[in-house]
Amino acid sequence: MKKIAVVTSLSLLSLTWGGLALADDDYITLASTTSTENSGLFDAIIPQFTDKTDIDVRVVAVGTGQAFETARRGDADSLLVHDTAGEEQFVADGYATERLDVMYNDFVIVGPSDDPAGISNSDTVNEAFSSIAESESPFASRGDDSGTNRAELRLWEDAGVTPQGEWYRELGSGMGPTLNTAAGMHAYTLTDRATWVAFDNPQDLTLLFEGDDALFNQYGSLLLSAERHPHLKHDLAAQWHEWLVSEEGQQAIADYRLNGQQLFFPNAQ
Amino acid sequence: MNAPTSILAPIADLRLENVSFQHRGQSLLAPTSLTLSGCRRTIIMGPNGAGKSLLMRLAHGLLTPTSGRVRWQGSEPVQAMVFQRPVLLRRSALDNLTYVLAIHKVPRARRKAQAMLALDTFGLTALAHRPARVLSGGEQQRLALARAWLLNPAVLFLDEATSSLDPAAIKAVEDAVMTFHASGTRIVMTTHDLHQAKRLADDVVFLHNGQLLEHSPADTFFSAPCSSQGRAFIQGELIW
Amino acid sequence: MSSSDNAFLTALQLILHMDSDLFSIVTLSLQVSFVAVALAALAGLPLGAALALWRFPGRNGVIIVLNALMGLPPVVAGLCVYLLLSRAGPLGQLGLLFSPTAMVVAQFVLVLPIIASLTRQQVEALHDEYAEQLQSLGLSTTRMIPTLLWDARIGLVTVMLAGFGRASAEVGAVMIVGGNIDGVTRVMTTSIVLETSKGNLPLALGLGIILLALVTLINALAHLMGETAKRRLG
């Protein structure tokens, strides 16, 4: 009886595992950001790419900092992030051979609807950030070295503010959790528009400031270095990289709508 | 059941030579010498805490003496032990028996028949497929005896094997002991039941306070014990 | 998804309209945790039993470490497995990162100490009762291991359930080593994190309710089996 039990569980085990291991090899692993994943963009465009090329794209959505690290360690075949300065450095460091503009969206400032800092009347994002700091209104920062976090820190610098004090809360969280927290603590926060539009739990949060050129949020695709990590699926990754900037890929991005809004604007040259 | 080999070849003598036992610095058995020989029924008696079970465990090899030696004169014979509370495995009565045969490398094809025979010998056939641990106390003890029987032991140790049983079950166990003995097995048994000792004993080992005071033929011990403690015990003055 | 704020309603809708995505997420969750627990049992049961029966120098140290590892934060386990399986790590050649296998490895690391440690306790208790009898029957210490494991089986089912509970409930480790890839490594818990980060709280909670229901169901089955066995086997 004992033997039967052992044999049964072993065969169950191998059967189960056989099922899991049955995966085709024609896929690439893409390290990207939570904003692109959470907004549903990938769900819309990857099937079109797969239809054409039979290559599946497996998205690991993390913060931009972690995405860079994933690629640096050779754990991703391709990289799509939004931190132009960091991306250029990544190329300069020899981890990637090419960086291409793919699309952009923009950052917006959301906050409590009563707008205690009065930023909705600001003309520039510098003014808005200064008002928040001066009124010491609560501000929730990602604090996770993501692309959005890096953009936010640049904006504070441009506004001549060193963000610190009771009012400035570094959360160390992704965009979604940061929005959840900001809603809970009636704080302002900087978010990419895509995540904001896709976000379902705004409570009292509302969009208060948008439209400054400084809030431009560029996404770039990187072709990783075959020299640095020869084991990666460079051929497949190159097809993805090229498809993103092709007419077809750009159209797919432009066509994506969430709640009737276009979230990403293709701008490959 | 195949004929016990013990009839054909004499059972080796068991010699305890100056065996003592201490636990956490406390002496539980003073240096003791004792020889158990032949196909006899030896009953170890004494009040509670005298060291009866300890002496038996040392003899059976479950415990290692602090000093002294336990030696078999010649090759060590097959032994079995039946405990006060039988430890049966969580499986059927039959499987408890085939388990022992498997341990002793009896070919698989022969196990079931041998086990059924043992069950039959101890009147347990009807209970073959019942889980062993839900049997009554008496049935469990008979199953433990059947298990010992399967080993075909030359020496059988019984430690207070009847002390938690009702009279009918006690009778069954005593009958089993007689069966073992009749087929040539040496019996070593502890009991605090004077009547049982009188019914079964060929000779008696009397312990008191961790000291062996007497080892004499049963007739001698029961009619004229040489120690005052032995006398008091027989007269019921030393409460076990 | 549903605009309803009622998580229970959402959970009910999810179950009633069980779509293929949800089905594959639930299946993968169960598969990964089941395989991880099975492998951990294969290693942990004998390990725990051996620890219960053998006395060797440093034994207490091993026991203390195992007990402490029962509380190993999943994120730490995940990070260690990540560094191990990453291309830049010692086992990078296998290319297992971001795969269900990596998740199994991470959960195995989490579950093994639980199974080994609790098995040791169960077997040690049973050994106290059985030792003399088994020794008298002529069993070596090694041969006692399967006997004690089999006789402790009712209690060991609970041990494995504890392991399964930990495996299926944790998110920190599988998130790091699996990457929460849609259709490949997305399981119940990582879905819950994802839906929470999208602000889709009813859906997240609905998924949580399904997870809880599944774990409850498995526990109930095991409990009933255990009770029946206990009554039957004594």
Side-chain angles (χ1 to χ4, degrees):
Chain A
M1 194 154 82
K2 190 165 22 172
K3 280 218 172 101
I4 295 173
V6 170
V7 170
T8 314
S9 25
L10 277 181
S11 43
L12 251 175
L13 196 66
S14 49
L15 266 180
T16 312
W17 207 239
L20 286 186
L22 256 179
D24 58 308
D25 238 5
D26 274 352
Y27 69 88
I28 58 170
T29 304
L30 169 67
S32 189
T33 64
T34 43
S35 52
T36 38
E37 167 88 346
N38 287 10
S39 61
L41 174 71
F42 284 135
D43 286 343
I45 67 169
I46 287 176
Q48 300 182 39
F49 173 69
T50 307
D51 276 352
K52 185 179 160 71
T53 58
D54 268 344
I55 301 168
D56 194 17
V57 180
R58 298 182 175 179
V59 183
V60 178
V62 289
T64 294
Q66 198 184 336
F68 278 131
E69 180 61 19
T70 304
R72 202 174 285 132
R73 299 182 63 92
D75 293 325
D77 301 301
S78 189
L79 194 56
L80 180 68
V81 286
H82 61 118
D83 177 30
T84 307
E87 290 155 30
E88 279 160 359
Q89 187 61 46
F90 203 69
V91 175
D93 289 345
Y95 287 101
T97 51
E98 186 180 59
R99 180 204 167 276
L100 292 177
D101 282 342
V102 174
M103 61 190 183
Y104 68 90
N105 66 354
D106 60 344
F107 293 116
V108 297
I109 304 176
V110 299
S113 56
D114 59 353
D115 191 14
I119 64 165
S120 54
N121 302 320
S122 301
D123 293 326
T124 65
V125 65
N126 279 357
E127 203 183 316
F129 265 47
S130 301
S131 306
I132 292 171
E134 272 160 30
S135 63
E136 303 209 337
S137 307
F139 184 94
S141 165
R142 292 276 295 270
D144 64 349
D145 193 34
S146 57
T148 307
N149 187 218
R150 291 176 184 193
E152 175 216 318
L153 293 175
R154 274 196 299 276
L155 290 171
W156 288 116
E157 211 179 312
D158 293 348
V161 173
T162 311
Q164 58 185 22
E166 268 291 291
W167 60 276
Y168 186 75
R169 315 267 169 85
E170 286 188 66
L171 301 184
S173 303
M175 196 67 255
T178 300
L179 284 170
N180 279 328
T181 309
M185 59 166 63
H186 299 286
Y188 291 94
T189 192
L190 183 76
T191 172
D192 64 282
R193 189 185 293 273
T195 306
W196 170 248
V197 170
F199 188 66
D200 270 348
N201 182 37
Q203 299 178 46
D204 190 36
L205 285 185
T206 180
L207 198 160
L208 295 171
F209 185 88
E210 61 185 324
D212 190 320
D213 284 350
L215 292 175
F216 181 76
N217 180 25
Q218 177 67 46
Y219 286 82
S221 171
L222 289 130
L223 197 58
L224 300 179
S225 159
E227 227 167 279
R228 186 75 71 156
H229 289 300
H231 65 271
L232 297 180
K233 297 169 183 162
H234 294 284
D235 291 346
L236 304 185
Q239 289 186 50
W240 164 251
H241 181 72
E242 282 153 18
W243 183 81
L244 277 175
V245 298
S246 72
E247 208 171 299
E248 199 184 337
Q250 295 279 294
Q251 191 59 48
I253 293 167
D255 284 348
Y256 177 60
R257 295 281 191 288
L258 184 68
N259 303 339
Q261 277 195 57
Q262 180 175 356
L263 296 181
F264 294 94
F265 300 85
N267 68 340
Q269 275 112 36
Chain B
M1 197 79 214
N2 30 355
T5 50
S6 41
I7 282 178
L8 309 172
I11 310 165
D13 285 0
L14 172 62
R15 295 181 64 129
L16 282 72
E17 300 170 353
N18 282 316
V19 167
S20 76
F21 192 83
Q22 294 176 359
H23 184 66
R24 298 196 173 149
Q26 202 186 349
S27 173
L28 301 181
L29 186 70
T32 298
S33 292
L34 172 69
T35 301
L36 298 173
S37 57
C39 176
R40 302 178 67 80
R41 290 164 298 181
T42 303
I43 305 294
I44 303 176
M45 304 200 71
N48 240 8
K52 305 187 292 287
S53 293
L54 178 60
L55 184 67
M56 176 165 288
R57 280 168 172 73
L58 287 164
H60 184 33
L62 292 180
L63 291 172
T64 310
T66 309
S67 68
R69 289 207 300 168
V70 177
R71 258 189 338 135
W72 291 93
Q73 302 279 85
S75 62
E76 183 175 333
V78 177
Q79 313 161 48
M81 181 155 167
V82 174
F83 295 83
Q84 180 176 356
R85 315 188 70 184
V87 177
L88 298 169
L89 304 179
R90 280 202 179 81
R91 48 190 91 187
S92 71
L94 179 62
D95 288 346
N96 263 275
L97 299 187
T98 51
Y99 170 82
V100 173
L101 294 173
I103 294 294
H104 286 266
K105 304 211 162 42
V106 172
R108 183 183 292 273
R110 304 220 311 258
R111 287 178 204 159
K112 191 173 175 195
Q114 288 192 23
M116 287 307 292
L117 187 59
L119 287 172
D120 188 41
T121 307
F122 291 86
L124 294 166
T125 308
L127 305 175
H129 298 287
R130 292 268 297 277
R133 289 167 78 98
V134 298
L135 299 177
S136 74
E139 289 162 350
Q140 290 201 21
Q141 200 58 292
R142 264 149 62 207
L143 185 58
L145 282 159
R147 179 167 62 183
W149 172 263
L150 275 179
L151 297 178
N152 192 14
V155 181
L156 177 66
F157 296 94
L158 299 104
D159 185 20
E160 302 281 358
T162 58
S163 64
S164 47
L165 301 182
D166 59 50
I170 291 175
K171 171 83 166 54
V173 171
E174 287 184 11
D175 287 350
V177 169
M178 299 305 247
T179 312
F180 269 99
H181 182 244
S183 62
T185 300
R186 179 188 300 161
I187 305 291
V188 183
M189 183 173 182
T190 67
T191 183
H192 56 252
D193 180 345
L194 214 53
H195 299 290
Q196 183 174 54
K198 282 178 178 163
R199 284 195 294 272
L200 295 177
D202 289 323
D203 49 32
V204 171
V205 170
F206 181 70
L207 290 174
H208 185 252
N209 266 345
Q211 293 202 325
L212 189 151
L213 297 182
E214 300 192 40
H215 180 199
S216 42
D219 292 349
T220 317
F221 178 76
F222 289 121
S223 56
C226 50
S227 64
S228 59
Q229 290 92 336
R231 260 192 308 282
F233 184 75
I234 289 170
Q235 285 156 15
E237 289 166 16
L238 271 182
I239 305 302
W240 50 269
Chain C
M1 282 280 171
S2 158
S3 59
S4 165
D5 268 358
N6 188 328
F8 286 94
L9 210 60
T10 311
L12 205 63
Q13 282 169 354
L14 281 173
I15 295 168
L16 290 178
H17 307 122
M18 173 71 81
D19 63 4
S20 64
D21 279 357
L22 178 63
F23 183 75
S24 71
I25 288 173
V26 171
T27 315
L28 183 68
S29 296
L30 294 177
Q31 278 180 328
V32 166
S33 296
F34 174 71
V35 174
V37 169
L39 292 176
L42 227 50
L45 292 176
L47 178 64
L51 267 177
L53 298 190
W54 272 310
R55 300 285 178 271
F56 55 90
R59 174 176 177 269
N60 281 328
V62 174
I63 289 173
I64 289 169
V65 168
L66 271 183
N67 284 342
L69 285 179
M70 291 207 292
L72 179 70
V75 183
V76 176
L79 195 55
C80 293
V81 174
Y82 173 82
L83 293 174
L84 195 70
L85 296 182
S86 166
R87 278 290 172 175
L91 297 181
Q93 291 303 314
L94 302 175
L96 290 177
L97 197 64
F98 303 138
S99 72
T101 308
M103 299 158 84
V104 168
V105 174
Q107 292 194 348
F108 174 85
V109 170
L110 286 174
V111 172
L112 180 66
I114 293 185
I115 292 191
S117 205
L118 297 180
T119 299
R120 180 194 65 80
Q121 290 173 22
Q122 298 255 353
V123 170
E124 210 163 83
L126 197 62
H127 183 244
D128 286 345
E129 185 192 339
Y130 280 25
E132 283 194 327
Q133 179 68 67
L134 295 183
Q135 201 186 336
S136 171
L137 289 175
L139 269 75
S140 65
T141 304
T142 314
R143 184 60 188 81
M144 285 183 196
I145 288 178
T147 300
L148 288 169
L149 283 176
W150 182 243
D151 264 47
R153 59 193 179 276
I154 298 172
L156 292 179
V157 168
T158 312
V159 169
M160 291 201 265
L161 279 180
F164 188 83
R166 172 137 156 118
S168 60
E170 75 83 27
V171 64
V174 289
M175 185 65 105
I176 295 178
V177 304
N180 190 24
I181 299 170
D182 191 13
V184 181
T185 57
R186 185 162 295 167
V187 291
M188 301 287 286
T189 53
T190 59
S191 300
I192 292 170
V193 170
L194 179 66
E195 293 307 329
T196 305
S197 82
K198 285 184 183 172
N200 200 340
L201 305 190
L203 180 55
L205 202 52
L207 286 166
I209 290 168
I210 293 180
L211 178 61
L212 188 64
L214 276 172
V215 172
T216 308
L217 186 72
I218 290 169
N219 272 281
L221 282 175
H223 180 73
L224 286 178
M225 270 165 51
E227 287 300 304
T228 315
K230 229 179 275 175
R231 235 174 303 124
R232 223 166 50 77
L233 297 172

